[in-house]
Structure formats: C-alpha cells, structure tokens
Amino acid sequence: MADDYAHDDTSEAVSKQIFTCYVCKSLDRGLPHAGDIAEASSLSAITLPRSDYPLWDALPQNIVKTGLLSQLQLEGVLYACTRHQQILPSGERAGFFIGDGAGVGKGRQISGVILDNYARGRRRHLWLSTSSDLHVDAARDLRDLGAHIPLINGCAMLDKGTRALGLDKDLQEGVLFLTYATLISAGRGGRSRLDQVLDWLAGGSSSVAAGGQGATAALATAARNWDGVLVFDECHKAKNFTPGNEAQSTKVWYAGQQALVLY
C-alpha cells in the first residue's frame, strides 16, 4: 500500500513538471478563460513575440470587456491575424493553425478572426468542415459574438440566383459554410460546386444559371481578387476529400494563395 502511495506521488510530481496551468502573458486586457487550461511546461516557458496588429480597432469592446472572447481566445485571434499579414517567399499568404483541445472554443476564435476581417471590409469568407450539421455550431459561435454576418449553409443556397437578377442581397456576402465533400460534387446543370464557390468568392453571381467562367478562369480570378478567411475546420479529416483524384485538391489551395487560412 505504501508503495502505491509513493507511486501516485511520483506520478503527480512528474505530471506537474510536464504540464502547467495556462496563464495569458501576451495581453493587457480581457478576462481569464472560464475553465482550467493546461499546457506543456516547455511551451509555457516560451514568451510569445510581440504583436502590433491593431485587433482592438476592429473588435467591439464589449467582446473584450464581458469575456465573450476570453484572454486565451483573444490571444488566438490576435496571433492568427498577425500571422496572416506575412507573405511567404512563394508569394502565398501565411496560415495559422489553432491546436487547442476540445472545449477551448476554436469556433469562437474562428468567428473572432472572421469578425475582425469583416469589419475591415473583407466580406466573403469560406468555412469548410466535415459535416453540414456543424453549420449550427458555426452559427452559434458567430451569434454569441454579436456578429450579424450572413451564414450561407451550402451551395444549394447559391443555386437560387438567376442570370438576370443574380443573387439575393443576403447571399452576396458573408460566410459560406460547406463540407469538404461538397467541393467534389456537382450542382444543377452539372456545374462543379468548386467552380461555383470560386466564382462566389471572386464576386461573381455563382448561380448555376450564370454559367461561370470555367475552372481555369475561376481559379485565377479567385486567387487574384479574394483575400477573405479560408477555414479548414477538422482539417485532419480533409486529406481524403478527393479520393483517387488528389490533383483536384490543389484547386482550393491555389485559390487560397492570398486567403487568410485557418486550420
């Protein structure tokens, strides 16, 4: 019995050496996270680089003061937006990976990044995930921040546009929520959903009736004109969204060269 207690004490001591309670050291405002968060002690010992990104100019003050985004979540939003300002040697814009565990609020952080960019005039964003059911969670996260940004659930909503009238005003901007599987499917008239999405991101009507520009032109136009947020939610499950045709996967990446990518 004594050996068991000694073993437990040793395990607890080792655990404390490996993990420590998260404490935000990068922000001088906001409220602590509601739950207890643990992080690797080695990670906690590293000081984050200073960020001069003007996040507070765009985010409503009540989000910060009331804790709608905690310090932990604000830190994620701040450094994602900071990273997005960097252009890589390849000419592509740098992305940001949110590696927080379940329950920390990755959806809120994504919504915070979208809200910041929406306030800066970037009005079309793409949120990809594994299931259409997660649209409800995305809507909740945006709503909880008071973000009155249209959330378009799938390409079927874009089918309502016509050649003569185009899309309704509520569908011309906002966040387009799609599943990865949608990108390799076809809509009415046989038009590729991917082409339809690229057309919408670039500012086109995106209706099936409109016909589109063709794959090559749509890719080039989206890569040139679109600088919104591109969210790869549950990105570890996206690797097989084009089974047997991996080359097609590169189309989204090509279109997102100037996009603000979140994983």
Side-chain angles (χ1 to χ4, degrees):
M1 183 66 71
D3 290 341
D4 290 340
Y5 282 126
H7 176 73
D8 291 342
D9 291 342
T10 301
S11 297
E12 183 177 354
V14 171
S15 178
K16 287 181 178 179
Q17 292 176 2
I18 297 175
F19 297 102
T20 186
C21 290
Y22 166 83
V23 177
C24 181
K25 304 172 185 176
S26 61
L27 304 179
D28 60 359
R29 64 193 75 190
L31 300 179
H33 196 70
D36 294 330
I37 304 296
E39 65 177 344
S41 297
S42 57
L43 186 62
S44 175
I46 299 174
T47 301
L48 288 173
R50 176 182 172 82
S51 173
D52 295 323
Y53 185 81
L55 179 65
W56 321 117
D57 294 348
L59 281 187
Q61 287 302 305
N62 71 297
I63 289 180
V64 179
K65 292 179 179 179
T66 63
L68 291 177
L69 284 174
S70 68
Q71 285 183 326
L72 182 153
Q73 294 164 341
L74 285 168
E75 187 176 70
V77 173
L78 174 64
Y79 282 92
C81 293
T82 300
R83 179 66 173 168
H84 288 155
Q85 303 309 299
Q86 182 178 355
I87 302 298
L88 302 174
S90 63
E92 299 173 339
R93 190 175 297 276
F96 187 81
F97 184 90
I98 300 177
D100 296 333
V104 173
K106 293 186 288 294
R108 284 223 181 175
Q109 293 180 63
I110 292 170
S111 297
V113 173
I114 290 174
L115 179 57
D116 173 81
N117 282 276
Y118 199 83
R120 299 180 192 278
R122 303 181 184 104
R123 297 304 179 93
R124 296 188 180 205
H125 309 281
L126 179 60
W127 189 329
L128 295 166
S129 195
T130 55
S131 170
S132 58
D133 294 339
L134 295 175
H135 164 267
V136 176
D137 295 335
R140 179 204 60 214
D141 290 325
L142 286 166
R143 183 179 62 250
D144 287 348
L145 295 186
H148 302 291
I149 301 174
L151 184 64
I152 304 168
N153 187 14
C155 285
M157 298 290 291
L158 302 181
D159 291 344
K160 298 179 180 180
T162 65
R163 183 187 296 272
L165 301 176
L167 289 170
D168 292 341
K169 185 176 180 179
D170 291 342
L171 300 176
Q172 292 178 8
E173 62 180 39
V175 181
L176 179 58
F177 186 92
L178 298 176
T179 63
Y180 293 111
T182 301
L183 295 178
I184 58 170
S185 64
R188 288 189 292 115
R191 184 185 180 191
S192 165
R193 287 300 194 193
L194 178 58
D195 291 346
Q196 187 179 14
V197 169
L198 293 173
D199 190 25
W200 182 83
L201 293 174
S205 67
S206 293
S207 66
V208 173
Q213 312 173 56
T216 302
L219 283 167
T221 302
R224 183 173 60 252
N225 296 339
W226 180 54
D227 59 355
V229 179
L230 174 56
V231 180
F232 291 99
D233 193 16
E234 303 288 348
C235 63
H236 60 288
K237 297 182 180 179
K239 58 184 179 295
N240 295 321
F241 78 89
T242 54
N245 189 12
E246 287 73 15
Q248 189 170 351
S249 304
T250 62
K251 293 182 180 180
V252 178
W253 295 97
Y254 177 81
Q257 287 182 85
Q258 296 304 318
L260 312 176
V261 181
L262 276 177
Y263 302 95

